[in-house]
Amino acid sequence: MSTLQNISTRIRRKWAPGHTIVLIVILAVAAGFLPFVKMGLVVNGVFLASIIALGAIGLTLIYGILDFANVAHGDYMTMGAYVALFIVAGVIAAIGAESQGLGPFTFGYPLLIAIPLTAAIVALGAIALDAVIYRRLRNWRVNTAVVSMASLGVAIALRGLVQIIWSSDTQNYPRESRQVFHLPMDVRIPPDNIFIALVAVILAVAVYLLLTRTKMGKAMRATADNPDLALVSGIETARVIRWTWVIGAVLAAVAGILLAVFQAHLVPIMGWKFLIPLFAAVVLGGIGNPYGALAGAFIIGVTSEVSTQWINPSYKPAVAFAIMIAMLLVRPRGLFGGQG
Amino acid sequence: MTLLEASGVVAGYGETQILHGVSMAVNQGEVVTIIGPNGCGKSTLLKTIIGLVRVRAGSVAFRGTDISSRPPEQIVRTGLCYVPQTANVFSSLTILENLEMGAFVRNSGQGERIGEMFQLFPDLARRTDQKAGSLSGGQRQMLAIARALMLDPVLLMLDEPSAGLSPAMTGLVLERIKDINETGVAVLLVEQNAREALQMSHRGYILVAGETRLEDTGPQLLNNPEVARLYLGG
């Protein structure tokens, strides 16, 4: 076999023809629309997409491995945003540390300290909630819809907790006004958004490396693929589930903080309202498929942002919802397949 | 020496009871085949032994220890491994990753063991980064067996390893199972191709309606006219 043939079979093996066609169609449609679209909206959509992606990757991993739709995922994001607020405006400010803007950003270094701390706290919270609620439901072998209902209860409880502690008022991280970057084609980028995209890329790469290079990551993929075979291979499902919560919660917590930075304020309902784009991205990419969730996030983020050129911005979630419904009707397994 | 001993095992799913008191044993180094009509509980018996289905009454002992209430991830550590009939590979993982998952609880010697598996199944060595889901039926079966062998089991249980394979491929798979047995691994086999399977078996059981109906040596079962008429297709 010649080298050329060898390479082409290797590519074919990794890329099912279906995937290539799907990708070409999406790119062609997108390219067709490009001349009529304000570039600024596309760019903004990409930044929004990077936040959706962090939430959606965690949501789809939990969906794949624990086999239920975690309706509380948005409120894990809210929790992340508020715990970071507590650390930045409460703890670090109380120590007397100045929260001056860092470089071109509206926030100071306290937020950089708060991100890993918050991620750890929310991850511990997620493990605790699993031990108290979800593990029992698993042991009782209840229907997956019941587990999702339980997570709805968790979502409402978490939001209530946020309202009790921080009130329903709009809040924000200590911030300084900053100049936005001006790019050609009337594109304006707030420096914060560069930071948001950077953090999202770092975390997405970290998750990719974890899933493909580490034993635990491979065990997570194996458990999502075939739970019974994972059990008889000796994979400790309890540990896999713990790690899934840690990864999902860390991503959600950071996504929550980034969302609060992106929209420059915090409200208790912020995460709940973000659920529709999250689920739309998950369904679009194929349930249980983290790479699909990443692609889905970009389609949802850019489309819903660009839609504001013609549609009232308050309909953004409706656009995401419409894409999700269309996907479920046309291709329920998602663009790139999944557990369906 | 008796490796595996099931006595009076009762098991099933939900309201349905499938096994109504199955007793059987596998001795060290043996190949034992279970044959019987469809739906008699052969697969359920293997699933119950490995811990995927709960034992409701009776007991399963492996190497003298009662394993009837243990979860599968603990049972496989004791040297009892299992190849399911369907969905027996991680289809979205590569060949290499499948073998690594087979060795999940192994602390050392994983690399050497993978090398041994590639010697046993040279077909797998040529495409280590190929997704298991894209393999042919025969290759998938080889990978499923290799995955189960990654923990150096003392007893390997296989559920219909020839299901869906061509006659030539069936012969090859059974040949490999014989090779594996010759390295000292005991084999408990559930097989549709009863004649071929009994030919290579030291002993066999006939399972009917969730009960052990007959036990004998492989050749004796083959020569039994009643067994031939009822279960070997004349």
Side-chain angles (χ1 to χ4, degrees), chain B residues 46-60:
Chain B
L46 296 195
K47 283 183 190 166
T48 308
I49 292 171
I50 199 71
L52 284 175
V53 173
R54 208 170 51 83
V55 179
R56 292 179 179 175
S59 72
V60 179

Side-chain angles (χ1 to χ4, degrees), chain A residues 10 13-14 141 211-240 291, chain B residues 50 52 72-73 76-77 81-82 84 86-94 97-98 100-106 110 127 129-131 134 147 151:
Chain A
R10 280 177 74 100
R13 215 180 273 155
K14 290 215 162 163
R141 292 168 198 278
L211 287 176
T212 55
R213 303 279 197 276
T214 70
K215 195 171 168 184
M216 185 41 72
K218 290 172 192 175
M220 286 172 61
R221 283 162 53 217
T223 307
D225 184 305
N226 192 334
D228 275 355
L229 193 62
L231 279 177
V232 301
S233 295
I235 293 172
E236 295 148 281
T237 312
R239 243 174 84 204
V240 167
Y291 314 123
Chain B
I50 199 71
L52 284 175
E73 72 252 43
V76 297
R77 285 163 191 261
C81 291
Y82 161 67
T86 51
N88 51 19
V89 294
F90 299 109
S91 33
S92 63
L93 271 60
T94 66
E97 287 172 337
N98 266 276
E100 287 170 10
M101 287 302 105
F104 188 81
V105 298
R106 215 187 153 105
Q110 178 181 307
R127 41 190 115 220
D129 64 343
Q130 190 175 338
K131 291 258 159 67
S134 65
R147 183 207 55 78
L151 290 180

Side-chain angles (χ1 to χ4, degrees), chain A residues 153-319:
Chain A
V154 170
I156 295 167
L158 285 180
R159 203 195 318 160
L161 190 67
V162 167
Q163 282 167 339
I164 290 169
I165 302 176
W166 288 282
S167 89
S168 308
D169 301 338
T170 303
Q171 315 228 21
N172 55 266
Y173 297 140
R175 49 184 286 125
E176 287 180 20
S177 306
R178 289 294 182 191
Q179 288 265 295
V180 297
F181 297 142
H182 286 268
L183 268 64
M185 294 178 78
D186 203 24
V187 175
R188 278 166 303 206
I189 300 179
D192 284 1
N193 288 6
I194 308 278
F195 173 79
I196 289 168
L198 199 69
V199 172
V201 168
I202 290 170
L203 284 180
V205 169
V207 170
Y208 171 77
L209 291 177
L210 190 122
L211 287 176
T212 55
R213 303 279 197 276
T214 70
K215 195 171 168 184
M216 185 41 72
K218 290 172 192 175
M220 286 172 61
R221 283 162 53 217
T223 307
D225 184 305
N226 192 334
D228 275 355
L229 193 62
L231 279 177
V232 301
S233 295
I235 293 172
E236 295 148 281
T237 312
R239 243 174 84 204
V240 167
I241 288 173
R242 212 153 47 229
W243 272 99
T244 307
W245 279 119
V246 167
I247 293 166
V250 164
L251 294 178
V254 177
I257 299 171
L258 296 182
L259 182 63
V261 171
F262 185 72
Q263 56 194 24
H265 70 267
L266 296 84
V267 278
I269 198 132
M270 59 189 279
W272 177 257
K273 276 168 70 184
F274 216 63
L275 264 189
I276 288 176
L278 288 190
F279 272 105
V282 166
V283 167
L284 210 57
I287 289 167
N289 181 344
Y291 314 123
L294 187 67
F298 277 89
I299 295 170
I300 295 294
V302 173
T303 316
S304 55
E305 201 64 27
V306 166
S307 74
T308 62
Q309 192 172 337
W310 303 286
I311 306 173
N312 187 315
S314 54
Y315 289 121
K316 264 201 279 185
V319 172

Side-chain angles (χ1 to χ4, degrees), chain B residues 1-232:
Chain B
M1 196 187 92
T2 311
L3 269 183
L4 178 78
E5 187 157 28
S7 30
V9 171
V10 176
Y13 309 93
E15 307 263 289
T16 331
Q17 187 169 310
I18 309 271
L19 304 178
H20 310 283
V22 175
S23 298
M24 50 87 57
V26 181
N27 299 317
Q28 197 143 33
E30 266 188 333
V31 177
V32 174
T33 297
I34 300 170
I35 62 171
N38 281 333
C40 69
K42 292 171 300 210
S43 294
T44 308
L45 177 60
L46 296 195
K47 283 183 190 166
T48 308
I49 292 171
I50 199 71
L52 284 175
V53 173
R54 208 170 51 83
V55 179
R56 292 179 179 175
S59 72
V60 179
F62 183 63
R63 296 165 114 175
T65 324
D66 186 19
I67 57 166
S68 34
S69 55
R70 296 235 196 121
E73 72 252 43
Q74 280 179 26
I75 294 176
V76 297
R77 285 163 191 261
T78 61
L80 171 55
C81 291
Y82 161 67
V83 182
Q85 181 185 349
T86 51
N88 51 19
V89 294
F90 299 109
S91 33
S92 63
L93 271 60
T94 66
I95 288 183
L96 195 61
E97 287 172 337
N98 266 276
L99 296 180
E100 287 170 10
M101 287 302 105
F104 188 81
V105 298
R106 215 187 153 105
N107 293 320
S108 62
Q110 178 181 307
E112 291 92 84
R113 189 61 178 163
I114 289 177
E116 286 168 29
M117 288 303 111
F118 285 161
Q119 261 177 356
L120 189 62
F121 305 111
D123 246 18
L124 300 179
R126 269 178 257 131
R127 41 190 115 220
T128 55
D129 64 343
Q130 190 175 338
K131 291 258 159 67
S134 65
L135 295 175
S136 73
Q139 292 162 344
R140 199 179 301 200
Q141 208 60 45
M142 303 288 187
L143 178 60
I145 296 171
R147 183 207 55 78
L149 286 173
M150 285 303 295
L151 290 180
D152 294 296
V154 186
L155 171 59
L156 180 66
M157 301 197 297
L158 301 118
D159 193 352
E160 307 230 0
S162 74
L165 299 185
S166 68
M169 199 42 98
T170 301
L172 198 69
V173 166
L174 293 179
E175 199 60 41
R176 283 291 160 279
I177 294 171
K178 226 158 126 187
D179 294 344
I180 293 162
N181 175 245
E182 271 159 22
T183 65
V185 180
V187 174
L188 176 58
L189 194 61
V190 164
E191 214 4 276
Q192 264 326 328
N193 290 300
R195 208 176 280 279
E196 286 93 330
L198 283 176
Q199 264 161 12
M200 57 180 268
S201 301
H202 300 96
R203 289 186 308 114
Y205 289 89
I206 295 183
L207 200 64
V208 180
E211 284 168 18
T212 14
R213 184 64 57 84
L214 205 60
E215 180 213 336
D216 215 327
T217 63
Q220 290 282 14
L221 283 174
L222 277 172
N223 294 330
N224 185 325
E226 198 195 348
V227 171
R229 187 170 57 82
L230 289 174
Y231 310 112
L232 302 177

